[in-house]
Amino acid sequence: LIGMKAYKNHMQHLLLPYGQGILNLMGETGRPSDNRQGDNRQEPPYILRGALLNESNVLDRPLTPRSVKVVQIVYNVKAMIAYLFREYDVAAQCAEKAESVASGRSFSPATQVLSSFYRGLIAIQMCRTGTTQAEKWRAVFDREMTKMKKWSATASWNCEHKRLLFQAEAAYCAGDRVAAKIAYEDSIRLAADHGFVSDQALACERMGLFCADTIGTDAALPYLQRALSLYQEFGAEAKVKHLLMCLSIP
């Protein structure tokens, strides 16, 4: 009985980073960045500090076999949120730290798919930004695409729209506009058909960014406005504000 209680407490502890990440997306971020100087700006949304978790209490402690999973989850959640808010360098750093911590260790299938999805998106974004480490990041993307193809073959309902978004981002990176547009549209459609509102919102936003870069603002706006509506639908108010600011919509 004592062992089961300890296991339950441990599992609940592993969920806290996800919970705090959700709160951050809802706009319930932690304390202002510097109250001593009268600065009331909130901390960046990828800083997991709030009602459920203070990331410093996890990341600033010595790493132990028992703490490995929660540290890896914290870094993965930080990477996901940083990517959503287009803080790509931060996202890349957190993804690398998560992977180094988790090296050689296995995690639940759901955790693997989610972390692989964002790690792949971060990797192909880093390739496109012209980093000097593009070759390294391309290898990371190719590895995550291989995983996603495998998962999509056995769990297409959950993973095919993710694979298509990978395909779209890779085509965009390669300059194949036609293939990218088709893959983005297919990813958006499948995510909608299968009820993945957050992934549909992300695919719409990425399609909008692609259009803004390759076609023009008029082509991008419908996708970005659709993404805005979808982010509102699942309560990501911080992301809504971010997108509104990017769109300069009052």
Side-chain angles (χ1 to χ4, degrees):
L1 182 61
I2 294 175
M4 288 299 296
K5 184 176 180 180
Y7 176 76
K8 180 180 179 181
N9 290 338
H10 178 61
M11 294 306 295
Q12 289 175 337
H13 187 56
L14 294 180
L15 294 176
L16 292 179
Y18 294 112
Q20 188 58 53
I22 291 170
L23 289 179
N24 283 21
L25 286 174
M26 292 170 63
E28 300 181 21
T29 51
R31 63 183 181 227
S33 57
D34 189 1
N35 279 330
R36 291 173 301 174
Q37 298 179 11
D39 188 347
N40 290 319
R41 291 175 299 173
Q42 291 296 107
E43 289 181 312
Y46 54 80
I47 300 296
L48 301 181
R49 194 176 354 254
L52 295 181
L53 180 77
N54 182 341
E55 65 174 48
S56 298
N57 293 336
V58 176
L59 302 181
D60 293 348
R61 294 179 177 178
L63 191 65
T64 67
R66 186 173 178 79
S67 69
V68 164
K69 283 190 177 182
V70 70
V71 170
Q72 186 251 4
I73 291 171
V74 166
Y75 278 126
N76 272 331
V77 173
K78 286 170 66 64
M80 295 172 202
I81 295 177
Y83 176 81
L84 284 173
F85 286 83
R86 307 182 199 170
E87 296 284 353
Y88 301 124
D89 288 339
V90 175
Q93 292 167 11
C94 290
E96 288 187 308
K97 288 178 180 178
E99 189 166 11
S100 66
V101 167
S103 180
R105 298 176 176 87
S106 61
F107 295 91
S108 70
T111 299
Q112 289 182 50
V113 171
L114 186 61
S115 60
S116 177
F117 181 46
Y118 277 91
R119 190 159 52 243
L121 291 174
I122 291 165
I124 197 65
Q125 175 64 35
M126 296 305 290
C127 289
R128 190 164 59 247
T129 55
T131 175
T132 56
Q133 296 183 313
E135 186 175 338
K136 180 195 78 172
W137 284 111
R138 183 68 205 205
V140 172
F141 174 77
D142 289 343
R143 184 191 66 206
E144 302 309 326
M145 174 61 104
T146 298
K147 294 178 186 176
M148 198 60 69
K149 286 180 177 178
K150 179 180 178 181
W151 292 325
S152 183
T154 57
S156 61
W157 187 276
N158 294 329
C159 297
E160 179 61 7
H161 67 278
K162 293 180 173 66
R163 185 195 67 78
L164 285 165
L165 188 55
F166 273 16
Q167 183 176 315
E169 291 282 304
Y172 175 20
C173 187
D176 190 340
R177 298 182 182 184
V178 174
K181 186 176 187 300
I182 292 171
Y184 279 123
E185 293 283 14
D186 286 345
S187 179
I188 292 167
R189 175 181 53 79
L190 270 186
D193 289 347
H194 296 171
F196 289 89
V197 177
S198 61
D199 289 350
Q200 185 189 357
L202 177 58
C204 285
E205 182 179 6
R206 301 309 298 185
M207 175 65 163
L209 295 176
F210 161 74
C211 288
D213 184 40
T214 60
I215 304 173
T217 304
D218 289 345
L221 197 57
Y223 293 103
L224 295 174
Q225 289 177 328
R226 187 175 173 190
L228 183 66
S229 177
L230 290 163
Y231 285 127
Q232 287 174 323
E233 183 177 332
F234 74 87
E237 290 301 319
K239 180 59 187 176
V240 168
K241 291 179 181 178
H242 172 257
L243 195 49
L244 283 171
M245 183 176 64
C246 294
L247 290 169
S248 297
I249 297 175

